Amino acid sequence: RPPFLLPDPASVFYRPISREIYFWLVYRLGGGSPFLGHVLNTAFLAAATYLVVDLAARLAGRRAGVIAGLSFAALGTAPLLVTWVSGAQDLLAIVFTLLSLRLVLGGRPVLAVAALGAALLSKETEVAVLPVIAALPWILGRRPERPLRQALPFVALLLVWAAVHPGLRLVLHRE
């Protein structure tokens, strides 16, 4: 139901994409069977692996891309993320974060912010990569023509996310 997409003031988590939308789709399309969840998680892992290969190849060449992709796909946690349907929360966050990185590299900061916003709405821990993604052009030595245009959307995303996220309010009000 639509109200489930809104922040719950009593909850520490706010993951409307990876919890509400994802599990609604699994339930509606899969009839409550976890099989569809495993299939979707496999697709998300494949997409994440592709994005790792693509990003590494763009930054360091094809060989590095293949090695990075194989290393990522061989992570010991990969099977757990596929076989445990709730692993979708991590997988969606990973896919959206990698997509955000790819969009920043492609000079599309506004779309990168949207992808990172989707990552944040999939799992809160992605807030840790926000400064890295925002600063990626500088990290790579590619000073943007308009630095404020590059950074401000990420700052705005962080402020909006912090204002909306119920877990932050719970933590701040307990102290």
Side-chain angles (χ1 to χ4, degrees):
R1 296 181 308 170
F4 290 151
L5 297 175
L6 300 174
D8 177 1
S11 177
V12 176
F13 301 113
Y14 182 52
R15 302 175 180 175
I17 292 175
S18 64
R19 290 176 78 168
E20 305 306 332
I21 295 172
Y22 172 81
F23 285 106
W24 178 82
L25 282 171
V26 167
Y27 182 77
R28 286 286 187 204
L29 300 177
S33 168
F35 180 75
L36 179 61
H38 300 309
V39 170
L40 289 172
N41 286 8
T42 302
F44 295 143
L45 181 60
T49 303
Y50 168 78
L51 287 167
V52 167
V53 169
D54 182 65
L55 285 166
R58 286 173 185 254
L59 294 171
R62 283 183 49 183
R63 181 176 289 163
V66 170
I67 292 169
L70 289 172
S71 299
F72 178 80
L75 286 173
T77 56
L80 177 65
L81 295 175
V82 171
T83 58
W84 186 34
V85 177
S86 291
Q89 294 172 85
D90 295 285
L91 288 166
L92 285 166
I94 291 167
V95 167
F96 286 128
T97 298
L98 291 169
L99 182 60
S100 180
L101 283 165
R102 188 172 194 262
L103 289 164
V104 166
L105 287 176
R108 303 176 84 178
V110 174
L111 289 176
V113 168
L116 189 57
L120 287 169
L121 295 176
S122 296
K123 193 160 186 182
E124 298 82 2
T125 54
E126 298 309 292
V127 73
V129 298
L130 191 147
V132 173
I133 295 174
L136 191 60
W138 289 276
I139 292 168
L140 296 174
R142 302 175 187 168
R143 184 175 162 84
E145 291 178 21
R146 297 179 179 165
L148 284 178
R149 185 174 180 205
Q150 171 69 31
L152 281 180
F154 290 98
V155 172
L157 172 65
L158 179 62
L159 293 174
V160 168
W161 177 80
V164 169
H165 197 282
L168 293 176
R169 278 183 278 194
L170 280 174
V171 170
L172 294 174
H173 289 278
R174 285 186 184 173
E175 294 181 19

